[in-house]
Amino acid sequence: MSFFTQLFGVNWRQMQAKVRYRILILTLLPILLTLVSLVFITIYWNISYTGQQLFMKVKADLTVANNTLEQVQRRQEKELENLLQSWEFQNFFRATHLDKQQLAADFNAFLAERRLAMDLDFLRLINVERAAADPDLRHLLTKVKGGEPFTGLMVLSSKRLARLDPALAERARLTLLPTPRADVPDREAEDRGMLSRSLMPIVDNEGEVAWYLDGGTLLNRDTRIVDHIRDLVYDKGTLPERSIGTVTIFLDNVRISTNVPLHFFPRDGEDKGRALGSLVSEEVKHKVLTQGQTWVDRAFVYNDWFISAYAPLTDVRGERIGMIYTGFSEAPFIHNYLLNIIELGTILMLVLLVSGMLVYRGAYSLLQPIERIHHVVKAVQSGRNVRIGELGLEKDNELANLAEQFDRMLDLLQRRNAQIQSAAEQLELKVEERTRSLQEKTEELQRNVSLLNETRAQLVTNEKLTALGELTAGIAHEINNPTAVILGNMELLRSELGDKAGQVEEEIDLVIQQVGRISTIIRSLLQYSRPGEFNAPLEMHQITPIIEEMLVLVRHSIKKQEVVLHQELNASCPVQINRPQLLQVLINLVVNAAHAMDGKGRIWIRTYDWVVQDEPVGVKIEIEDEGCGIAPEQLGRIFDPFYTTRPDGTGLGLSLSYGIIKRIGGTIEVTSTLGKGTLFTIGLYHEAREESGLNPYEGLMLGAGGLA
């Protein structure tokens, strides 16, 4: 009403006398009250029912997670039972009882093969005496007295894990992360491990349990279960956009297996990661771990609020050892809730506007004098300077007063046009700013599309690596047999020659050495295609003897070329490396340099200590040639798998070299000038910084550079 008072300069009593506004008010008031009531009813319904449904959903998700974890344990037990009943196992087992010394190695190899096929972290056969002496199995033995298998959760210390497999103890260790709303950690790391362990009794011919088949999975860092549950209960379309569904398994209050992201909204190039080692909030820990109750409520998860459900996990003794959690982020639901309110408010305003227009049109047909006002308004909108003037009514008529006030308003609007024009110019400036912002967003989208293409190329390479792994495994099997025969015959030749062997001792040693190099190359190919399965031993070595050995080996490869090798060997700091692998890298780089020079030229090999802040940290090796060089558009791809410019090349040499150096934490850099030559620089640390938990080829940017 204040708007109408300012517009027409009349008070509320005078407004009541005007038919048009009385019609507007009487028509719009019921609509306004109805829509406002609808808004409040909707808000109440959202608060009362939607929130309740969210908690019901997360509780159901927790039930699914618990059932899935139990199904995983039952499946593990069933797989062990199937293995026990298989013909291969029974055949090995009976043979082992007949001749334990001869078949023990074959039987262990069979168990190792089945462990990998069943995705278990350990699998062993243990007799009754050893099982009774093992403190970790005593509680399980009480469960299998009747001859039935048993599966359950178990927590083992680092030392006990190492007795099963030293690799399990290393994998179980998690660095604890200080977490908001959680207790301050009282130690730097959690080195205990939670196992899903199955014990399968084996009955002899007399019906007595004589052996146990013991197998299980370490849940620490094993994301298969939590990812499977997440994909099951939070599939695409089950949550709002940008909502994150997560599942976690806790050891005590530490996340040991989770898909809660370390960075909820990573920046460009940053990986989301997983919040392994972070802690649960103090209030959840008290209710679930201390009191043993189920938590179904909103909770602070790592660094955001989630609709959450927690349930305690118990071990084979019935003691609480951790928790299982399901939940999804709360913010998108609040966003949708506020968006619904805004939408309802917008609808309210639109309905009021439409209703007002309809009432206005109806009142126009009833009040002819207002038609003239309407035409004047249209004329003013078209830019004409006109006024209503006299309507032919009495001076005290409300429409006459309205026309007079309207003319005054037009005068006022004319004076304000200049102000509006100025405001319009400012608006154009803001529109230009928004346009520039939209262009920046478009460029960002293009970058994201480019990143998607790069990721797709990486997937193609991974498929190639899988095929290469299968091919290499077959080649390794076929080559290892003849190399073993060659080695045996060379030893026999040395023995048969006796004292005369000294005349060809160097040739015999060279053949044995090269056969060993063949085995090393085959193992390196396997290591390239499946790097996670091979851990080459690292030892301290001086670089100079390795360079000299490399020069001896490489002369056989380039002896037909007019290549001059210049040495500047000044390194004195020992480094931790695998000698055969480094030889492989150096030979590959020198041979590549010789090929780049088209048969003749010079190659410089330099070594010197790597010094940082006046302290030696390792050794640098430089291999420089004066060949044809590498084009800038190719320089960024030389380390990519399968990329080569030579017709007879495989594209694996430099990529394999890259992986070997990166796995020990070293660096490999390249600079090249087209037509002048290329310089490769290798940096090796005094103590290797092994990256066994990472993909050594993760730094490669297929088709786009990315040298490290």
Side-chain angles (χ1 to χ4, degrees), residues 529-540:
S529 59
R530 295 176 292 179
E533 300 180 10
F534 295 86
N535 292 315
L538 303 179
E539 298 176 348
M540 283 292 180

Side-chain angles (χ1 to χ4, degrees), residues 407-455:
D407 287 340
R408 293 178 182 176
M409 183 195 67
L410 293 177
D411 295 336
L412 178 62
L413 289 176
Q414 190 174 13
R415 291 194 298 267
R416 292 184 178 177
N417 278 339
Q419 299 176 0
I420 295 174
Q421 183 65 30
S422 176
E425 295 175 355
Q426 296 179 0
L427 180 60
E428 290 180 358
L429 294 177
K430 292 183 178 180
V431 169
E432 293 177 357
E433 293 176 357
R434 295 296 175 88
T435 302
R436 288 195 298 272
S437 176
L438 181 60
Q439 292 175 348
E440 294 174 356
K441 295 293 184 180
T442 303
E443 294 174 356
E444 182 179 358
L445 178 60
Q446 292 174 348
R447 291 194 297 270
N448 291 337
V449 171
S450 176
L451 179 60
L452 178 61
N453 292 332
E454 294 171 0
T455 304

Side-chain angles (χ1 to χ4, degrees), residues 287-331:
K287 182 173 182 179
V288 180
L289 288 179
T290 304
Q291 299 180 358
Q293 301 180 15
T294 299
W295 173 286
V296 181
D297 202 347
R298 63 192 299 266
F300 193 80
V301 178
Y302 186 55
N303 62 359
D304 201 359
W305 286 98
F306 276 59
I307 304 297
S308 306
Y310 295 80
L313 294 176
T314 56
D315 62 2
V316 295
R317 306 179 183 180
E319 298 179 356
R320 289 190 292 273
I321 59 173
M323 298 177 289
I324 186 169
Y325 149 85
T326 60
F328 43 86
S329 51
E330 179 187 58

Side-chain angles (χ1 to χ4, degrees), residues 34-237:
T34 302
L35 292 179
V36 170
S37 300
L38 179 61
V39 170
F40 280 104
I41 291 173
T42 305
I43 294 174
Y44 172 77
W45 183 86
N46 281 335
I47 295 175
S48 301
Y49 297 99
T50 305
Q52 184 179 2
Q53 290 177 352
L54 292 179
F55 292 131
M56 291 173 61
K57 171 178 170 52
V58 77
K59 186 176 181 180
D61 296 341
L62 179 63
T63 302
V64 173
N66 267 318
N67 292 338
T68 304
L69 183 59
E70 293 175 0
Q71 289 176 2
V72 169
Q73 293 177 326
R74 287 195 295 268
R75 183 170 65 249
Q76 174 179 298
E77 181 179 304
K78 185 64 177 178
E79 289 179 347
L80 287 182
E81 185 177 356
N82 293 338
L83 173 62
L84 179 61
Q85 296 174 357
S86 67
W87 179 87
E88 290 180 290
F89 181 88
Q90 294 295 332
N91 185 50
F92 270 112
F93 186 72
R94 287 194 298 269
T96 300
H97 276 69
L98 294 175
D99 190 353
K100 295 183 179 180
Q101 297 298 326
Q102 180 179 355
L103 296 180
D106 292 340
F107 190 68
N108 288 333
F110 169 73
L111 289 180
E113 178 184 354
R114 298 310 304 161
R115 178 183 67 81
L116 294 176
M118 297 163 64
D119 284 335
L120 297 177
D121 290 322
F122 67 94
L123 178 64
R124 61 177 183 168
L125 188 67
I126 183 171
N127 59 34
V128 173
E129 293 77 10
R130 289 184 59 193
D134 191 336
D136 299 330
L137 295 178
R138 289 173 185 169
H139 293 281
L140 286 177
L141 292 178
T142 61
K143 305 289 185 179
V144 298
K145 284 186 176 180
E148 294 295 328
F150 182 80
T151 300
L153 298 178
M154 178 180 295
V155 176
L156 297 183
S157 65
S158 178
K159 292 182 178 179
R160 293 184 175 183
L161 284 173
R163 290 193 302 182
L164 292 175
D165 189 344
L168 294 182
E170 179 64 25
R171 177 178 143 197
R173 181 177 176 83
L174 292 170
T175 302
L176 297 184
L177 303 177
T179 310
R181 305 181 71 89
D183 292 335
V184 178
D186 55 359
R187 58 194 186 280
E188 294 183 356
E190 174 63 77
D191 55 7
R192 297 178 298 165
M194 181 185 293
L195 300 176
S196 172
R197 194 168 189 177
S198 299
L199 195 64
M200 184 73 60
I202 303 176
V203 181
D204 58 15
N205 296 331
E206 299 177 358
E208 298 293 333
V209 176
W211 296 84
Y212 292 97
L213 189 60
D214 181 21
T217 303
L218 177 66
L219 298 183
N220 296 45
R221 299 183 186 272
D222 189 344
T223 60
R224 293 173 295 179
I225 296 178
V226 294
D227 287 351
H228 172 67
I229 297 173
R230 178 198 61 191
D231 297 339
L232 187 64
V233 298
Y234 300 123
D235 197 7
K236 184 176 181 181

Side-chain angles (χ1 to χ4, degrees), residues 582-704:
L582 182 59
L583 272 173
Q584 181 180 352
V585 173
L586 296 175
I587 290 172
N588 182 53
L589 293 179
V590 172
V591 171
N592 283 353
H595 289 161
M597 292 186 296
D598 196 21
K600 59 182 178 179
R602 293 176 294 177
I603 298 176
W604 290 268
I605 302 174
R606 310 182 188 93
T607 65
Y608 54 89
D609 289 340
W610 184 2
V611 179
V612 176
Q613 295 181 352
D614 298 330
E615 290 291 333
V617 299
V619 168
K620 289 269 184 136
I621 304 173
E622 293 183 354
I623 298 177
E624 183 179 6
D625 62 70
E626 54 182 11
C628 59
I630 304 173
E633 61 272 16
Q634 297 175 347
L635 190 62
R637 301 191 59 191
I638 61 173
F639 291 114
D640 289 356
F642 309 107
Y643 180 79
T644 180
T645 58
R646 290 166 47 198
D648 58 343
T650 64
L652 291 176
L654 287 178
S655 184
L656 178 60
S657 301
Y658 180 94
I660 291 173
I661 297 302
K662 291 296 289 183
R663 272 196 298 277
I664 59 175
T667 63
I668 179 168
E669 302 172 349
V670 57
T671 58
S672 181
T673 302
L674 195 62
K676 293 186 177 180
T678 303
L679 170 64
F680 282 86
T681 304
I682 298 175
L684 301 174
Y685 287 96
H686 173 65
E687 293 184 356
R689 305 178 180 183
E690 295 185 71
E691 301 179 1
S692 57
L694 299 175
N695 181 357
Y697 310 105
E698 186 174 332
L700 298 181
M701 298 294 293
L702 300 179

Side-chain angles (χ1 to χ4, degrees), residues 558-573:
I558 61 175
K559 61 183 180 180
K560 295 182 179 180
Q561 299 174 274
E562 299 177 11
V563 175
V564 179
L565 297 175
H566 295 278
Q567 307 174 42
E568 298 176 15
L569 309 180
N570 300 317
S572 60
C573 179

